[in-house]
Amino acid sequence: MMDQEKYREAVRNMRHSPASLERRGECWSEEDKEKLSEMFDDDVGITEMAVIFQRSETAIMQQIEKQDLYDRTLHPTRQRNNSVPYKCLCEVCVADPALCPLHKTCTNNQEET
């Protein structure tokens, strides 16, 4: 690993000019996906992984979610905000019935009996 000052400079550059990242926009190789998974299991931080992979922190987080490394599909209680997804997913509701004026009449919201 690089010394602390070089690491800070790399993080600063990554956050202030993400266009300068070498791997920005590239597809993830299977090897990189495996390495990310291993690093995640070894409790390596998001920022450190971003510096190593030369990708944004957002790209790292998206890949972690895509690989389901938090095991949200196996452990529904680990869902964001510990909530169950809303039933109504029509184009008007967009998963938030509180914002939908048609929520009470929406056919997607009907309980199956």
Side-chain angles (χ1 to χ4, degrees):
M1 174 135 167
M2 55 184 81
D3 71 15
Q4 193 68 17
E5 189 56 39
K6 286 184 180 179
Y7 176 76
R8 285 182 185 168
E9 185 64 27
V11 170
R12 203 173 300 123
N13 289 338
M14 174 186 66
R15 289 182 178 166
H16 291 292
S17 57
S20 67
L21 296 171
E22 292 175 21
R23 313 261 328 265
R24 180 177 180 257
E26 288 182 17
C27 291
W28 286 78
S29 68
E30 290 302 317
E31 182 180 314
D32 284 347
K33 290 178 185 179
E34 289 174 20
K35 187 174 179 181
L36 177 79
S37 180
E38 290 170 11
M39 292 172 78
F40 181 84
D41 290 340
D42 291 339
D43 295 325
V44 175
I46 302 289
T47 302
E48 188 174 349
M49 285 190 268
V51 170
I52 291 167
F53 285 107
Q54 281 295 293
R55 296 178 185 268
S56 69
E57 292 163 307
T58 303
I60 299 295
M61 290 185 286
Q62 287 172 342
Q63 191 58 227
I64 288 170
E65 284 292 330
K66 188 174 182 179
Q67 291 186 37
D68 193 31
L69 298 179
Y70 289 118
D71 291 329
R72 287 192 170 114
T73 55
L74 295 175
H75 307 285
T77 57
R78 293 184 184 172
Q79 296 291 332
R80 291 186 184 120
N81 300 329
N82 293 329
S83 63
V84 177
Y86 293 109
K87 294 251 184 212
C88 187
L89 298 175
C90 73
E91 292 179 7
V92 179
C93 294
V94 193
D96 190 356
L99 300 175
C100 182
L102 305 173
H103 177 67
K104 291 182 182 178
T105 60
C106 182
T107 57
N108 289 335
N109 191 38
Q110 304 289 324
E111 292 290 328
E112 293 183 25
T113 54

